[in-house]
Amino acid sequence: MDRLRGDLQTLAVPAWDDPAMEVRDALNRLPEEDAELIRLTYWDGLRSHEVAEVLGINPSTVRSRLSRAKEQLRAALEDPKNDSEEHAVARTTSV
């Protein structure tokens, strides 16, 4: 968790060979709502009740979706060469 937080916070000015670029690329492969949860939580440093207010959803929903989003991010980081066509499908099917 701390590694993820650190990687996401360093994305503001990454070098091309920086591990943060891998995180950014993996984050871009997530469904948009999941990526937004991660950005609001780890980049913006918002707590679950603050994220809930921004998105207009329940804080418990934020926590459960964030848990799912982190799992998807881990999977994306383990498979960095995942086909972009799969990501397009994932973005359209996760509602």
Side-chain angles (χ1 to χ4, degrees):
M1 180 65 111
D2 290 333
R3 179 176 175 251
L4 175 62
R5 181 177 290 130
D7 285 349
L8 289 174
Q9 289 174 346
T10 61
L11 287 178
V13 187
W16 285 108
D17 61 346
D18 193 317
M21 291 296 288
E22 293 176 35
V23 173
R24 189 210 61 194
D25 291 343
L27 192 59
N28 287 337
R29 293 193 308 262
L30 296 183
E32 186 57 38
E33 72 176 16
D34 294 337
E36 185 67 13
L37 281 170
I38 290 175
R39 287 183 192 107
L40 289 170
T41 302
Y42 295 104
W43 275 342
D44 298 337
L46 301 180
R47 296 173 158 254
S48 61
H49 68 276
E50 295 169 319
V51 173
E53 191 174 316
V54 168
L55 299 178
I57 59 177
N58 190 300
S60 62
T61 303
V62 169
R63 291 187 291 273
S64 64
R65 287 183 185 174
L66 184 59
S67 177
R68 180 190 68 201
K70 289 189 297 186
E71 287 299 319
Q72 289 180 343
L73 183 59
R74 282 185 195 101
L77 286 167
E78 290 172 3
D79 188 14
K81 296 180 182 178
N82 203 350
D83 183 39
S84 60
E85 205 172 287
E86 289 179 27
H87 309 301
V89 171
R91 285 184 185 272
T92 60
T93 59
S94 72
V95 174

